[in-house]
Amino acid sequence: MADVDTFVVKRPPISMILKLVATAVILALVVYSLDLDKLSGALSAIDWHWLVLGSAASALFVSLRIIKWRS
């Protein structure tokens, strides 16, 4: 019976669960502490062309690192 394939469900380790909970709590505290009026003013002042360019450059750099480390 040792040759029979069985489906084993692995549970995530407790440290990973604790890290996710801590991340969620910290993120909730940061969002709660934001001044939404200032945030909306800052977001409306952004030049969206630069935001798109910066996001595309960031995605390109991450993609190049992934390709570099896979080979």
Side-chain angles (χ1 to χ4, degrees), residues 9 18 27 33 49 57:
V9 177
L18 289 175
L27 186 60
S33 69
H49 297 99

Side-chain angles (χ1 to χ4, degrees), residues 24 29 36 40 47 50 53-54 69:
L29 289 173
L36 295 179
S40 65
D47 185 3
W50 287 110
L53 180 65
W69 285 105

Side-chain angles (χ1 to χ4, degrees), residues 20-63:
L20 288 173
V21 169
T23 301
V25 168
I26 291 170
L27 186 60
L29 289 173
V30 168
V31 169
Y32 180 73
S33 69
L34 288 175
D35 183 4
L36 295 179
D37 291 332
K38 286 184 181 179
L39 179 63
S40 65
L43 289 176
S44 65
I46 291 176
D47 185 3
W48 293 102
H49 297 99
W50 287 110
L51 180 67
V52 170
L53 180 65
S55 298
S58 177
L60 175 68
F61 296 147
V62 170
S63 301

